[in-house]
Amino acid sequence: MVVPATAKDVRNKAGLALWMERVLEECERASLDFGADPVHDLRVALRRCRSMADGLRVMDPNPAWKEMKKAGRQLFRELGELRDVQVMEEWVRRLGNPDDPVTNVLLQFLASREAHLKQQAALALQEFDRKQWRRWITSLPRRAARMRTGSVIQASRA
């Protein structure tokens, strides 16, 4: 059963609306220095939006779900290798001996790779269409709110 969404429902910023807003917030945080925590948090927010879009697309075939998911996937992928390098660097620091020449060479390599990947991430973030994302923040949570939890449609998909 479809229930109309009210402006109040969308303003409450729960579920999809919350995570879509969070993507934009984390974009701002990540763009400052592409530190490990902001990159991780942005990827988490993107992953959650994409996962919710997957589930909602089953019940609502609107093409905007697929478009939002694709936009999120592109940025998510661009940040993936950077995040991998950041995690590796953390583990090398944690497990390696600071006096070990192999540890130092590995850390130098990872730092160089991280600098290059931060440049790529900055370009990907520039290409990320935040205006379109804001439009989806308005329209997609409203579409999602029209689907009542526990409805016959959702029960038949389980």
Side-chain angles (χ1 to χ4, degrees), residues 16-109:
L16 181 63
L18 172 90
W19 288 106
M20 290 188 77
E21 287 280 352
R22 187 79 180 265
V23 165
L24 295 178
E25 292 167 13
E26 297 302 337
C27 281
E28 292 302 317
R29 282 186 57 223
S31 68
L32 297 176
D33 69 350
F34 291 95
D37 288 338
V39 169
H40 170 72
D41 293 345
L42 176 54
R43 293 187 80 226
V44 167
L46 286 166
R47 185 181 313 115
R48 290 186 179 171
C49 289
R50 293 175 57 227
S51 294
M52 285 186 252
D54 273 339
L56 291 164
R57 269 182 67 198
V58 171
M59 295 172 281
D60 179 11
N62 187 294
W65 294 111
K66 185 175 182 179
E67 293 165 8
M68 182 270 280
K69 193 174 170 225
K70 181 179 178 184
R73 180 179 58 241
Q74 290 170 337
L75 183 56
F76 183 83
R77 283 183 179 169
E78 288 295 327
L79 295 170
E81 194 174 351
L82 172 59
R83 181 68 185 132
D84 290 346
V85 166
Q86 290 169 336
V87 169
M88 280 189 271
E89 186 175 7
E90 183 180 323
W91 278 106
V92 169
R93 286 187 192 287
R94 192 177 293 175
L95 298 174
N97 182 343
D99 298 328
D100 181 15
V102 173
T103 298
N104 290 324
V105 168
L106 189 52
L107 287 172
Q108 287 174 358
F109 170 76

Side-chain angles (χ1 to χ4, degrees), residues 1-6 9 56 58-62 65 139-155 157:
M1 177 172 202
V2 177
V3 177
T6 65
D9 294 333
L56 291 164
V58 171
M59 295 172 281
D60 179 11
N62 187 294
W65 294 111
S139 64
L140 292 178
R142 283 189 181 137
R143 294 188 71 82
R146 291 189 338 226
M147 294 175 256
R148 190 186 322 158
T149 305
S151 71
V152 176
I153 293 171
Q154 289 177 339
R157 303 273 187 205

